[in-house]
Amino acid sequence: MKKILPLLLMLLCLTIALAEDTAIDYTSDFSEGTDGWYARSAGGAEVSVTAEKGLLITGRTATWNSPGRDFDLVCGKTYALSVLVKQDETASTGFILSIAHTANGTESYENLAKCTAKQGEWTLMQCTYVAGQYDRNVLYVEGGAADTSYQIKDFCIYEQTQAYGKPGIPSLKEVYADKFDFGTAVVANEVLDSDRMDFYKSQFGIFTYGNEMKPDALLDVGASMKAVRATGDETQVCVKFDRCKPLLDWAQKNGVKVHGHTLVWHSQTPSAFFREGYSSKNPLVSREVMLARMESYIRQVLEWTNENYPGVIVSWDVVNEAAADSGRKLRDSLWTQVVGQDFVNRAFEYARKYAAEGTKLYYNDYNSEISMKALVTRDIVDSLIADGTIDGYGFQSHYTAGQTNLFYVQVAMKEMAKRTLQDGTPIRLRISELDVGIPSNTQDNWQTQARFYNELFQLYGQYADQIEAVHTWGTVDSLSWRADSYPLLFDSMCQPKPAFFAIVD
Ligand code: XIL
């Protein structure tokens, strides 16, 4: 027994140590003080506990001054977060629940949830967050003018140790295997959660990054600026690929396809890209310089992905959202201002020149079921067919049940599907960013949403020969860009919703 005792003690210590290391499950308790919360401020702002057991921030002098607290979040783990906020100063004020994370000494920020708090009313904010690879994570609540005060309470964070999916549910990609690829889009941190990705892989055969392959992710403005300064050559373009590597690595390792989104867009593109010396204060460059920059950017992105991930990226959205929302014309943007009306054609020309053989090139847009926009998107596609540079059209498909008229969706698809490419084959179609919003998370709305998804997929079935892929824009509601409208096939706990069963049964 004497010999076993130390062993038992060691075992006990190890168990305690492991238990201490278990998942976060924290609710703020201000009954005995500020509970590790502090004022994020350069001095002046303070936090204190109020009679109603809230945490009050006072003495703010900047909008970023806010109550914050450090949390040990584990990379790739999913956390459920909620907090109540109250202000007494104005009729209503917007608040944001955010995270400040630090990696290699650099702090960066993400907004996780928003709310509007009416005067004197405790208002709830909640969300799901997948933690990234950081050395420090500070969660904080900010809002209101710089000199105002507010309170938070019942801040709650716990690790979601949910099962991904439900045992035995059908697989979307298998159900539709003989019709089209079934895909999804991911936010950066989802890729870090390997259990989640294993589940996604069982459901989806093609993946898109929600943000990490857009120009603001790939264009290296700082390096481009230096290159122009060093050489005096305004056509220099530097790119960086750190943000898009995780999904590409995962896809390559798992033999999964990727759809690239997006090479040329008016949004999420630094305005410095269009300006002399890459300085947002400088005048716009000439058309010639901008075309050279566009070609260089497209060439470098396509060459790098082809060299490092051959065969992984099977298709690209070459240009996104060039059509105006009203009027039969292109949207006014820095692209039209600097390059002119043929910027879409030039982008496709360069993409075709540098894309690996067989890569499908798409023009992608939203609301193309709405009359005037339907005409513009078809004009764009027709001119690209005449150039011989396009393979397909992507219907973004951000819909709202009860608002979107399926008849118009049907007409838009029928009209687009009629188009023939120069080689005589019908144009390829893609449902690139499908989500169907509902006003609130109720059983009734879930059923309405399920019927809408079901009708959509009946329509897609009719065009299965031409549709290359259907991608939902995300997998779980809480990580959707439209989280407030619960638009996807899985709920925040990764459980299938009626909409899922409505398209697999
Ligand atoms: C959205 C992303 O999902 C968000 O995370 C981001 O904040 C804004 O962009 N049409 C598109 C997509 O083509 O790139 C957009 O993605 C959604 C609308």
Side-chain angles (χ1 to χ4, degrees):
M1 187 63 191
K2 266 190 183 160
K3 276 188 182 158
I4 297 179
L5 207 59
L7 263 179
L8 280 176
L9 269 175
M10 242 172 75
L11 211 64
L12 189 69
C13 290
L14 198 69
T15 323
I16 292 171
L18 283 176
E20 275 172 4
D21 203 29
T22 52
I24 281 191
D25 184 355
Y26 166 87
T27 305
S28 62
D29 177 5
F30 301 124
S31 57
E32 285 176 15
T34 52
D35 196 19
W37 289 79
Y38 52 86
R40 290 165 37 81
S41 129
E46 283 176 359
V47 291
S48 58
V49 177
T50 64
E52 49 188 326
K53 293 278 173 282
L55 185 77
L56 175 71
I57 179 151
T58 50
R60 294 170 70 231
T61 51
T63 49
W64 64 271
N65 292 168
S66 49
R69 187 181 191 276
D70 287 59
F71 288 91
D72 286 328
L73 306 186
V74 179
C75 173
K77 297 283 183 207
T78 306
Y79 296 93
L81 289 149
S82 60
V83 61
L84 288 168
V85 56
K86 187 174 98 163
Q87 60 86 21
D88 294 314
E89 310 214 1
T90 48
S92 80
T93 302
F95 284 94
I96 311 176
L97 167 60
S98 300
I99 186 161
H101 29 48
T102 311
N104 306 323
T106 306
E107 196 174 46
S108 55
Y109 311 90
E110 276 178 89
N111 297 333
L112 308 181
K114 290 184 180 153
C115 75
T116 303
K118 289 199 190 126
Q119 195 163 32
E121 284 181 18
W122 282 106
T123 308
L124 179 72
M125 273 191 280
Q126 56 184 349
C127 64
T128 302
Y129 174 67
V130 186
Q133 184 74 59
Y134 296 104
D135 310 323
R136 183 179 177 200
N137 292 287
V138 180
L139 287 157
Y140 62 97
V141 177
E142 65 186 343
D147 56 351
T148 55
S149 303
Y150 53 89
Q151 289 184 68
I152 62 164
K153 75 171 180 180
D154 296 344
F155 182 97
C156 174
I157 175 168
Y158 64 90
E159 187 184 314
Q160 281 187 349
T161 45
Q162 82 263 38
Y164 291 112
K166 229 190 192 101
I169 57 168
S171 149
L172 292 163
K173 69 172 182 189
E174 282 163 21
V175 170
Y176 286 95
D178 62 341
K179 295 194 165 62
F180 36 72
D181 283 342
F182 211 112
T184 192
V186 288
V187 301
N189 292 354
E190 277 179 293
V191 183
L192 306 173
D193 181 349
S194 58
D195 292 342
R196 178 186 290 274
M197 292 304 280
D198 282 347
F199 168 65
Y200 288 0
K201 196 175 91 174
S202 73
Q203 288 291 332
F204 304 104
I206 182 159
F207 286 72
T208 313
Y209 246 143
N211 290 304
E212 285 62 30
M213 297 176 86
K214 291 173 175 172
D216 63 355
L218 303 187
L219 182 71
D220 192 334
V221 174
S224 304
M225 189 187 264
K226 276 194 199 137
V228 171
R229 224 179 269 155
T231 60
D233 173 6
E234 282 287 353
T235 68
Q236 295 286 319
V237 176
C238 298
V239 283
K240 56 183 162 62
F241 297 103
D242 50 320
R243 282 182 62 189
C244 73
K245 269 173 86 37
L247 179 68
L248 294 174
D249 286 340
W250 178 84
Q252 190 172 48
K253 195 166 137 222
N254 286 274
V256 167
K257 295 191 250 187
V258 169
H259 174 72
H261 175 80
T262 174
L263 291 171
V264 171
W265 193 16
H266 66 279
S267 179
Q268 290 185 264
T269 302
S271 102
F273 193 24
F274 301 87
R275 294 179 184 277
E276 288 173 7
Y278 287 86
S279 163
S280 43
K281 294 187 202 102
N282 282 355
L284 297 170
V285 295
S286 67
R287 167 182 161 89
E288 287 64 37
V289 167
M290 200 60 220
L291 281 175
R293 285 188 185 179
M294 183 202 248
E295 176 165 1
S296 170
Y297 176 82
I298 291 177
R299 178 182 56 74
Q300 293 186 67
V301 172
L302 293 180
E303 282 179 357
W304 182 84
T305 46
N306 292 340
E307 270 163 32
N308 294 283
Y309 302 93
V312 173
I313 304 182
V314 293
S315 46
W316 270 99
D317 290 330
V318 177
V319 177
N320 195 30
E321 302 182 351
D325 284 324
S326 59
R328 195 169 178 172
K329 57 181 189 211
L330 295 189
R331 163 198 306 280
D332 177 46
S333 71
L334 287 174
W335 282 115
T336 54
Q337 286 166 35
V338 180
V339 171
Q341 296 297 310
D342 66 339
F343 86 89
V344 180
N345 304 73
R346 298 292 71 78
F348 272 82
E349 179 192 325
Y350 304 144
R352 184 53 82 206
K353 186 166 160 194
Y354 300 108
E357 206 176 326
T359 309
K360 298 277 186 285
L361 302 183
Y362 280 81
Y363 172 69
N364 194 51
D365 216 326
Y366 65 95
N367 280 359
S368 45
E369 69 282 0
I370 293 173
S371 52
M372 189 58 86
K373 200 136 182 195
L375 292 179
V376 198
T377 51
R378 295 203 287 265
D379 290 345
I380 294 173
V381 166
D382 287 341
S383 100
L384 294 167
I385 291 178
D387 292 348
T389 49
I390 191 176
D391 293 298
Y393 178 73
F395 294 90
Q396 286 191 8
S397 313
H398 297 294
Y399 299 137
T400 301
Q403 272 177 35
T404 306
N405 187 329
L406 270 174
F407 174 73
Y408 294 121
V409 174
Q410 211 174 322
V411 172
M413 189 157 291
K414 188 169 155 203
E415 288 303 317
M416 196 56 89
K418 282 181 187 162
R419 275 142 176 90
T420 304
L421 303 179
Q422 279 193 9
D423 65 2
T425 58
I427 188 169
R428 310 303 297 157
L429 303 176
R430 174 169 225 107
I431 312 302
S432 52
E433 304 180 13
L434 176 62
D435 51 22
V436 179
I438 47 175
S440 60
N441 216 6
T442 63
Q443 280 297 335
D444 277 358
N445 286 332
W446 278 15
Q447 294 304 334
T448 311
Q449 182 181 50
R451 279 194 296 278
F452 194 99
Y453 266 105
N454 177 279
E455 284 171 34
L456 272 178
F457 276 77
Q458 288 187 38
L459 173 67
Y460 299 159
Q462 291 168 29
Y463 291 93
D465 289 351
Q466 265 174 278
I467 295 180
E468 194 127 316
V470 176
H471 307 240
T472 48
W473 198 244
T475 307
V476 298
D477 281 341
S478 50
L479 295 174
S480 158
W481 74 306
R482 298 171 72 196
D484 293 349
S485 345
Y486 314 95
L488 296 170
L489 301 175
F490 293 86
D491 69 13
S492 64
M493 298 301 283
C494 222
Q495 296 303 300
K497 292 163 58 181
F500 172 87
F501 292 106
I503 63 169
V504 293
D505 283 344

